[in-house]
Amino acid sequence: METFIQPINFKSLFLFTPLVFALSGCTETLYSNTTSTTKISSESNAYPEIDPVLGEKLQPNEEVLAQNIAQVIEKSIREQYTAGNALRDAHPKAHGCVRADFHVSKNIPVQFAKGMFIPDRSYQAWIRFSNASNDASNADIKKDARGIAIKILGVSGQKILESEKQATTQDFIMINHPVFFANDAKRYLSFMNDVNSHNMVRKLHIPFALGFKGTMNALGVRNSQIANPLYARYWSMVPYQLGLGNDRKAVKYSVRACSMQPNNLPKNPNHDFLREALKNTLQSTDACMEFLIQPRTSNQMLVEDSMTEWDEKAAPFYQVATIHIPNQNFDTPEQNKFCENLSFTPWHALPEHKPLGAVNRMRKVIYENISRVRHDMNSAPRQEP
């Protein structure tokens, strides 16, 4: 899953945060970042246009910085993996890809019945559950963010990505935390350079790259243990457009179990116990999840601020669809290989569901490049199901 741009090296963050905050006189310009204008070769390299009406605002040199971030991640992937064995830079460890049915509510409120949200419409879907850490060898009991990536099939209409306009898929990408740890492209590039540096002194700079709020958000994102991917709650963290024309609005998404279950962790968990939990559940029963939309209710809820949660009391979520995951055996070599070859990006989307904000705009460049590099290294075809 090309998701959330890049996970944090939390071991470094935890080791050095106390020391770094004790240092005086340090600023985010402690290390300068070289700005390159090299364009990444891509069929879909048009940078997204902003929507000022919905509150989007382009940052200085944002496109160039996104290109630089993509190059840093590409270098990291090529150093970490050999040909034929490349994994995703983020969320490389999947708990499984499962078949699902995505059913839009018959009585969906009119304000949400836009794009693919057609009342009483059913779609087939693939859902990938994962850990966020870039170390696929980590045991599932380790604290980490958890992801869900939903690929809806059979969605008609021209899509946003220039190279995949005729694709019939729509992706939704979420994590089990409501906010992200960075808004600013320059800060993110600084963070990426620190994370991927082999210089320990650079690791000390990570909290300064993120800032105080970003560091606190990062610790919150990372501080998660779940008993079963089917029973966690997930958020889009960043906003999306819903609809077209004058009635378009900014929204966020969430997914949760239809009936919440206690998060009882096993006493002696296996290394891959989340895959085991997912497998055991779906071998014995079906699963049900709710898909929710949170419409923005105030212009104070900024589309460019992915680090601040939209208060659910002021802006409640509404259920608009139900996800039915039937009883199945997903853990087969063929299906696991199929899962690894899938690419997820919020830009697999209809114009009615255009991603909003700087994080999403950078994702368009970064995810496209990550997917291309990974598939090229593995000599695997890159195509939508």
Side-chain angles (χ1 to χ4, degrees):
M1 165 172 26
E2 278 75 48
T3 56
F4 317 118
I5 303 181
Q6 173 79 356
I8 291 178
N9 184 330
F10 288 103
K11 182 178 181 181
S12 297
L13 191 60
F14 285 135
L15 282 173
F16 297 114
T17 294
L19 174 60
V20 173
F21 279 128
L23 297 175
S24 62
C26 295
T27 69
E28 66 175 306
T29 57
L30 180 63
Y31 297 100
S32 61
N33 296 302
T34 303
T35 300
S36 168
T37 57
T38 303
K39 281 281 188 178
I40 292 171
S41 175
S42 173
E43 293 176 307
S44 55
N45 59 10
Y47 202 71
E49 295 183 1
I50 63 169
D51 187 339
V53 174
L54 290 182
E56 284 194 290
K57 185 178 180 181
L58 201 65
Q59 297 177 15
N61 300 316
E62 184 181 305
E63 180 178 358
V64 173
L65 291 168
Q67 296 277 345
N68 286 346
I69 293 167
Q71 290 169 1
V72 170
I73 296 175
E74 176 176 346
K75 182 174 182 289
S76 174
I77 292 173
R78 293 189 183 280
E79 288 179 348
Q80 186 174 357
Y81 299 109
T82 58
N85 300 296
L87 300 178
R88 292 163 169 82
D89 72 306
H91 296 260
K93 184 177 182 179
H95 309 309
C97 277
V98 301
R99 292 178 291 104
D101 297 308
F102 187 99
H103 182 75
V104 181
S105 302
K106 183 177 182 179
N107 298 316
I108 183 174
V110 175
Q111 63 171 319
F112 303 135
K114 314 290 183 183
M116 62 154 284
F117 296 114
I118 301 169
D120 206 26
R121 174 70 185 272
S122 290
Y123 302 90
Q124 292 184 323
W126 286 101
I127 299 179
R128 182 181 189 265
F129 296 98
S130 62
N131 290 342
S133 171
N134 62 353
D135 187 350
S137 67
N138 279 350
D140 290 344
I141 197 61
K142 290 190 67 173
K143 291 184 177 181
D144 192 8
R146 320 293 168 166
I148 183 173
I150 305 169
K151 187 175 292 290
I152 311 294
L153 310 180
V155 180
S156 60
Q158 200 169 80
K159 304 307 187 294
I160 297 174
L161 277 181
E162 293 86 343
S163 62
E164 296 179 298
K165 283 185 175 293
Q166 303 309 315
T168 57
T169 54
Q170 167 77 45
D171 292 357
F172 296 101
I173 297 172
M174 304 182 205
I175 199 168
N176 66 327
H177 195 73
V179 290
F180 197 51
F181 54 82
N183 285 330
D184 181 87
K186 184 179 178 182
R187 275 188 181 273
Y188 200 89
L189 177 59
S190 176
F191 161 73
M192 287 300 305
N193 283 327
D194 292 342
V195 166
N196 288 284
S197 173
H198 300 295
N199 185 338
M200 274 307 202
V201 176
R202 290 294 299 266
K203 303 292 188 184
L204 293 170
H205 186 243
I206 289 174
F208 290 101
L210 292 179
F212 180 77
K213 186 174 184 179
T215 300
M216 294 300 101
N217 282 3
L219 297 176
V221 170
R222 189 263 186 195
N223 192 29
S224 168
Q225 289 177 302
I226 63 173
N228 192 318
L230 293 167
Y231 303 137
R233 184 174 177 184
Y234 304 90
W235 290 264
S236 66
M237 300 195 295
V238 290
Y240 294 82
Q241 179 176 312
L242 181 64
L244 297 172
N246 293 333
D247 66 344
R248 69 191 185 280
K249 57 176 64 70
V251 303
K252 290 184 179 180
Y253 301 121
S254 183
V255 167
R256 67 187 179 196
C258 293
S259 59
M260 299 306 294
Q261 303 292 324
N263 190 39
N264 295 327
L265 297 170
K267 291 183 179 179
N268 297 297
N270 292 335
H271 188 273
D272 302 321
F273 83 90
L274 290 177
R275 174 176 284 267
E276 186 177 88
L278 183 63
K279 186 175 180 178
N280 290 341
T281 300
L282 294 180
Q283 282 180 339
S284 60
T285 187
D286 295 357
C288 175
M289 305 186 84
E290 298 174 344
F291 189 95
L292 314 172
I293 289 181
Q294 181 187 34
R296 182 173 62 168
T297 57
S298 167
N299 288 335
Q300 299 303 309
M301 299 173 180
L302 305 177
V303 299
E304 294 292 349
D305 182 9
S306 60
M307 296 170 63
T308 302
E309 186 175 2
W310 292 1
D311 184 2
E312 289 193 37
K313 292 181 180 179
F317 279 91
Y318 297 84
Q319 182 182 352
V320 298
T322 301
I323 301 169
H324 174 243
I325 304 175
N327 173 282
Q328 62 189 275
N329 176 23
F330 64 85
D331 196 10
T332 66
E334 296 79 15
Q335 193 153 318
N336 290 333
K337 182 178 179 181
F338 168 79
C339 181
E340 283 309 300
N341 284 333
L342 287 177
S343 290
F344 293 88
T345 168
W347 292 91
H348 281 150
L350 290 167
E352 290 91 337
H353 308 305
K354 176 188 173 185
L356 298 174
V359 170
N360 269 330
R361 290 192 299 273
M362 291 190 293
R363 277 172 158 179
K364 184 171 185 281
V365 173
I366 295 164
Y367 289 9
E368 175 75 3
N369 194 56
I370 293 170
S371 177
R372 176 187 60 79
V373 169
R374 181 167 60 89
H375 284 79
D376 285 352
M377 289 182 68
N378 292 335
S379 300
R382 193 163 70 101
Q383 58 191 29
E384 288 297 279

